[in-house]
Amino acid sequence: DTGVSQNPRHKITKRGQNVTFRCDPISEHNRLYWYRQTLGQGPEFLTYFQNEAQLEKSRLLSDRFSAERPKGSFSTLEIQRTEQGDSAMYLCASGGQRLNEKLFFGSGTQLSVL
Amino acid sequence: TQLLEQSPQFLSIQEGENLTVYCNSSSVFSSLQWYRQEPGEGPVLLVTVVTGGEVKKLKRLTFQFGDARKDSSLHITAAQPGDTGLYLCAVHDSGGYNKLIFGAGTRLAVHP
C-alpha cells in the first residue's frame, strides 16, 4: 500500500497519560499536515511540515502537543498529560511539492481519553 | 461562526432518491473542494471547482460552484447505499501553505 499510513488506528488511554501517533506519508511527498476531527465536525488544521521544517502551528496546538518530522519522512504527534477533550480522530495528510497539488489523507488515529 | 456552512447536517434517504447538499459562505474563494469520508477513514477528494458557475460531473454526482464563487452544491442522482458517508466541502486558507479549511459536513445515509 503506497498511501498515507497512520499508526495506531485506535488508542485508548487514561487521562494524564502521554500518547504518540505516527504518520508515514507517501514517500515522495514533502508536505505533511496534521488535522484533528471531533464528532460532528470537519477536520481542523493543527500543524504543517515542509520536509523537516514545522512551518505553521494552529492555536489549537496547545503546549501539551508536539509534532516532529525529524528526517523529512515520517512524522509523530505527541500529546502529553491527555485530557478528555483530546478525544478525537487525528488525521495526517501529505502532498507533493506544489502547494496546489492534491492532498492524500491517512485513515487516522482514533483517540479515546477515559 | 464557521467559514463554510454546510446543510443539511444529516440526511437519511431511500435508495434511488435524488438529493442536494449545500456549502455556503459569505467569503469569495478561488476554488472549492468536495470530499467524501467513510466511517473510520480519512477524507477522499471528489472534485475541485475553480470557475464561477462551473459544473462538474462524476458519474451520478453533479457539483456546481456558485457564480460569485461563495457557495457550492452537490447533487446526487439515484442515490445508492455506497454513497453513504460524510460529505465535506473545503477551501484553501489564504494565509499560505495551502492548508485546508473544512465545513462541518453533511452526513448522508442511503438505505436499501
Side-chain angles (χ1 to χ4, degrees):
Chain A
D1 188 341
T2 56
V4 178
S5 176
Q6 291 191 246
N7 289 288
R9 289 294 307 275
H10 304 275
K11 178 71 178 178
I12 299 173
T13 191
K14 291 183 179 178
R15 192 174 51 189
Q17 298 293 304
N18 300 343
V19 294
T20 300
F21 312 139
R22 177 177 168 126
C23 171
D24 287 90
I26 293 172
S27 60
E28 63 269 25
H29 285 179
N30 67 335
R31 293 184 296 134
L32 188 146
Y33 302 80
W34 283 99
Y35 286 83
R36 181 173 69 186
Q37 186 176 22
T38 53
L39 204 60
Q41 297 297 320
E44 296 173 293
F45 170 77
L46 291 179
T47 190
Y48 167 66
F49 287 87
Q50 186 169 306
N51 300 310
E52 66 277 8
Q54 187 175 21
L55 297 184
E56 189 172 354
K57 292 195 287 188
S58 162
R59 284 170 293 179
L60 292 174
L61 214 64
S62 76
D63 56 5
R64 296 185 298 105
F65 288 70
S66 62
E68 293 183 341
R69 195 182 182 196
K71 296 181 181 178
S73 55
F74 73 91
S75 176
T76 58
L77 177 67
E78 181 183 16
I79 309 174
Q80 295 183 327
R81 305 181 302 281
T82 52
E83 301 173 357
Q84 286 186 326
D86 297 330
S87 295
M89 170 81 90
Y90 290 84
L91 291 161
C92 174
S94 72
Q97 290 208 359
R98 291 193 304 273
L99 284 179
N100 61 356
E101 281 188 43
K102 175 181 175 179
L103 287 185
F104 293 83
F105 283 82
S107 298
T109 294
Q110 182 66 53
L111 173 66
S112 297
V113 182
L114 305 178
Chain B
T1 306
Q2 292 238 344
L3 177 66
L4 299 171
E5 296 287 343
Q6 291 194 243
S7 62
Q9 230 179 329
F10 302 99
L11 196 52
S12 180
I13 62 171
Q14 294 297 123
E15 182 175 0
E17 291 184 24
N18 301 333
L19 66 117
T20 303
V21 300
Y22 301 93
C23 176
N24 295 305
S25 179
S26 56
S27 299
V28 177
F29 305 111
S30 57
S31 66
L32 185 144
Q33 298 183 332
W34 283 93
Y35 288 80
R36 180 168 65 211
Q37 184 177 21
E38 297 185 17
E41 299 295 330
V44 175
L45 179 65
L46 295 174
V47 77
T48 302
V49 285
V50 177
T51 307
E54 180 177 6
V55 175
K56 280 192 173 178
K57 293 194 174 184
L58 189 67
K59 298 183 181 176
R60 294 176 292 101
L61 278 61
T62 302
F63 304 85
Q64 184 160 10
F65 202 13
D67 291 341
R69 292 183 286 123
K70 292 182 178 182
D71 51 73
S72 182
S73 64
L74 159 58
H75 181 81
I76 302 179
T77 303
Q80 305 290 312
D83 296 325
T84 293
L86 179 66
Y87 288 83
L88 295 157
C89 62
V91 294
H92 287 111
D93 179 65
S94 58
Y97 304 128
N98 237 30
K99 64 179 183 281
L100 289 167
I101 300 172
F102 287 88
T106 292
R107 190 163 297 280
L108 171 66
V110 182
H111 304 283

